[in-house]
Amino acid sequence: MIKGIKSRDVVGSLMLSSLKHNYVEFVDEWGYDRANQYLHELFGEAWLNNREVVWQWYDQEYKKGVANG
C-alpha cells in the first residue's frame, strides 16, 4: 500500500461512487421510494450509512448539472 493512503479510505470512496452511480440509475428506472428500497436491499448497511450524503449530492450537484448540461 502507498504510504499515506489507507485502504479503508479507498474502499469508502469507491463505495460512495458506486452508490451515487446506482442511485441515479435506480431513480430514473423506479423513482425515489423504490430506489431507496432497492439500494438498501442491494447494499445493506453501506446504503444506510451513506444515503444522506448521496441524497445531498443528488439534489445539490447532480440535478443542477443535468439542468445546466
Side-chain angles (χ1 to χ4, degrees), residues 1-40:
M1 180 60 64
I2 300 171
K3 281 190 172 192
I5 297 177
K6 296 180 181 169
S7 61
R8 184 176 34 229
D9 295 341
V10 173
V11 171
S13 178
L14 291 172
M15 177 58 73
L16 186 56
S17 293
S18 179
L19 290 170
K20 288 176 178 179
H21 172 80
N22 282 288
Y23 187 72
V24 170
E25 298 290 326
F26 282 35
V27 167
D28 287 347
E29 184 72 24
W30 294 294
Y32 296 103
D33 291 335
R34 284 200 175 156
N36 291 317
Q37 175 189 346
Y38 294 159
L39 285 167
H40 181 218

